[in-house]
Amino acid sequence: MNSKSRLLDPGIILVATLLFFAAIVLIWWPTDIYLMGISLAGWLMFGSYVIWFLLALIYVVWVEKKEDKKNN
């Protein structure tokens, strides 16, 4: 396996996506922006549960397709 294929691995791409989103939340964390009495960072973290679930589904489908392609 060469280094190019490792960078295109679904796990690496999705971890980079998670780190990017976490960085956005951490950038907002110190600000005092509130919506309905809850910090914007809290809303972003709460909303991220949907994103994590979708990323998990994308990962499973992506890996299954890669394995099917490799086996055929």
Side-chain angles (χ1 to χ4, degrees), residues 5-72:
S5 65
R6 285 185 186 162
L7 291 176
L8 295 176
D9 182 66
I12 299 295
I13 293 171
L14 293 175
V15 165
T17 304
L18 293 174
L19 289 174
F20 177 73
F21 188 81
I24 290 171
V25 171
L26 290 175
I27 289 168
W28 277 105
W29 196 269
T31 61
D32 286 334
I33 299 173
Y34 291 92
L35 181 64
M36 297 188 318
I38 299 174
S39 170
L40 181 59
W43 282 112
L44 288 172
M45 288 173 51
F46 179 71
S48 70
Y49 291 129
V50 174
I51 294 171
W52 304 150
F53 182 72
L54 290 175
L55 286 176
L57 289 176
I58 291 169
Y59 179 77
V60 168
V61 171
W62 193 350
V63 168
E64 290 293 325
K65 283 185 180 182
K66 281 185 79 167
E67 287 181 6
D68 286 345
K69 187 184 284 187
K70 186 167 63 169
N71 291 335
N72 290 331

